Amino acid sequence: MDRLIQADGQPRIGIFPRGPALVNHRDFDLRSPMGRRLGRLAKWRRFHQFQYFGLISDELIGGCALADLSLLGAGFVYLYHPASGRRVERQFRLPLGLGKRFSQAPDDGICELSWRGNRLRMDNRGGVKRLDVALDDGLHIEASFDEQAFQPMHICTPTGPTGWVYARKVAGVRCDGQVRSPLGAFDLQALDCFAHHDWSAGYMRPETYWNWACLSGVAQGQRVGLNLSCGVNETSFSENCFWLDGELVPVGGVRFEFQRDRPLAPWRIRSGDGRVELTFAGCGLHAERVNALLLASNFKQVYGRFDGWLRPPGRAAIRLDNLWGFVEDHYAKW
């Protein structure tokens, strides 16, 4: 697929074996809920884009996100060392687009936040996903993976009366690279580290809310990855899936049961089709809260361990035992 937005100004909707080379959002025929055609300023203001790169191993957990919210560039990075319980983290908020660069080519572009000697960069060129973090406190991350023999999830769904969201997701793929931090130096290949990657963009609901879960690791001799959500990409089609040795297995709608005021308390996650049955125990979280005039966010990403079952159709069920991963509870107004 060359472009997501077609000649008639409408996006291609569905789940695709391959994603678009370009998310050409400026060609979208954006309308108000009452049908009035909106111009360039509205297209700029309402288009939002983000990426997330997660690192998962028994010895090191990490997450890095970049977001372009038109009026604001935002990002965070954190590392957690399970053996010691220590964590390092940084947050960045760059007003009015200062220091941000975002490409709309999911497989051939660079997204970056750069500010006063600090850089968060995700490079998606050449069939390789790369994370490059360099901070003024000495934290450096260089991580990468390729997707040979792997089947990413590509999806575009309608949102609200006139919007849409495109998402490209991967979980359960091994990565390599180096980390230097106050927690120590780590060789990701030696740690048998896995990665998760999410590239999402579109005209999302002005006020939205979602839960999300992701894990990676090895279970019963198979590489396992998982991506589940409730609240965003489930209009007509669902992004819910898991991967077994790189093969994508679709999953139906899911239910997240948890205590919103106690995100580290146990979570239960079940799919209506019976293919996913999980419990999650949190070990720590990254939280952010913004309440500005035009933007608001109440974000909690919890890292911890999953137990439970995956049941691929026509195959034996797979037991998950103490696998690391993430869950999210997020409200946003943008």
Side-chain angles (χ1 to χ4, degrees):
M1 184 193 310
D2 182 29
R3 293 169 174 248
L4 182 69
I5 306 303
Q6 305 171 89
D8 63 358
Q10 297 304 309
R12 303 175 191 271
I13 299 296
I15 296 175
F16 318 117
R18 295 183 180 178
L22 182 67
V23 178
N24 54 321
H25 70 280
R26 294 180 182 85
D27 296 327
F28 175 50
D29 183 11
L30 179 64
R31 304 289 182 107
S32 75
M34 302 306 293
R36 179 171 60 89
R37 181 173 279 114
L38 301 179
R40 292 182 180 180
L41 180 61
K43 287 184 180 182
W44 168 80
R45 172 66 183 88
R46 300 187 186 189
F47 181 78
H48 302 310
Q49 179 179 346
F50 59 85
Q51 280 193 74
Y52 178 75
F53 197 116
L55 300 172
I56 300 176
S57 72
D58 287 335
E59 296 186 43
L60 188 69
I61 306 296
C64 181
L66 307 176
D68 180 359
L69 307 180
S70 64
L71 295 174
L72 182 73
F76 68 78
V77 59
Y78 69 84
L79 293 171
Y80 171 67
H81 186 237
S84 67
R86 297 172 61 207
R87 180 181 67 185
V88 294
E89 65 178 327
R90 292 281 296 274
Q91 300 178 23
F92 299 92
R93 297 192 182 107
L94 309 182
L96 302 178
L98 300 174
K100 70 179 182 181
R101 175 171 58 137
F102 278 75
S103 167
Q104 279 75 60
D107 295 312
D108 193 26
I110 293 175
C111 295
E112 179 180 76
L113 296 179
S114 180
W115 185 253
R116 294 182 176 177
N118 300 284
R119 182 180 68 247
L120 307 179
R121 175 188 291 166
M122 297 189 197
D123 185 339
N124 302 318
R125 297 174 298 176
V128 177
K129 306 301 180 187
R130 298 179 180 88
L131 172 65
D132 177 14
V133 174
L135 303 186
D136 56 11
D137 60 5
L139 175 63
H140 289 263
I141 302 173
E142 295 179 356
S144 64
F145 66 89
D146 64 45
E147 298 170 338
Q148 295 182 14
F150 197 91
Q151 186 178 0
M153 159 65 72
H154 306 272
I155 185 172
C156 186
T157 56
T159 57
T162 62
W164 50 268
V165 175
Y166 170 76
R168 184 194 193 283
K169 304 206 173 188
V170 170
V173 57
R174 284 187 168 94
C175 72
D176 55 27
Q178 303 291 325
V179 173
R180 300 192 307 275
S181 76
L183 303 179
F186 302 90
D187 183 307
L188 298 180
Q189 186 174 19
L191 297 184
D192 195 22
C193 188
F194 285 81
H196 167 81
H197 185 256
D198 176 354
W199 195 106
S200 295
Y203 292 95
M204 305 171 187
R205 295 180 184 92
E207 188 172 24
T208 190
Y209 173 82
W210 68 73
N211 294 125
W212 171 76
C214 172
L215 65 82
S216 293
V218 176
Q220 298 179 200
Q222 299 181 77
R223 287 184 292 112
V224 176
L226 174 89
N227 179 84
L228 303 175
S229 75
C230 181
V232 181
N233 296 322
E234 54 204 17
T235 308
S236 304
F237 298 89
S238 170
E239 70 173 61
N240 296 331
C241 63
F242 57 84
W243 290 267
L244 301 175
D245 288 331
E247 177 188 352
L248 188 150
V249 180
V251 174
V254 294
R255 164 86 174 148
F256 289 77
E257 300 176 28
F258 65 103
Q259 300 181 52
R260 184 151 290 114
D261 294 331
R262 298 178 59 211
L264 294 178
W267 295 49
R268 298 178 70 236
I269 304 169
R270 305 287 188 275
S271 67
D273 58 15
R275 293 184 181 179
V276 173
E277 183 179 351
L278 300 172
T279 60
F280 174 84
C283 296
L285 80 157
H286 172 81
E288 298 185 17
R289 183 173 293 183
V290 176
N291 193 6
L293 181 63
L294 297 176
L295 300 172
S297 176
N298 188 0
F299 174 76
K300 305 180 194 76
Q301 183 178 97
V302 187
Y303 43 88
R305 293 184 178 270
F306 286 90
D307 291 282
W309 295 91
L310 302 180
R311 299 186 177 95
R315 298 158 67 174
I318 299 169
R319 171 70 181 170
L320 304 186
D321 184 16
N322 229 23
L323 288 188
W324 283 99
F326 309 94
V327 296
E328 278 184 3
D329 180 40
H330 189 196
Y331 162 79
K333 180 180 73 172
W334 42 31

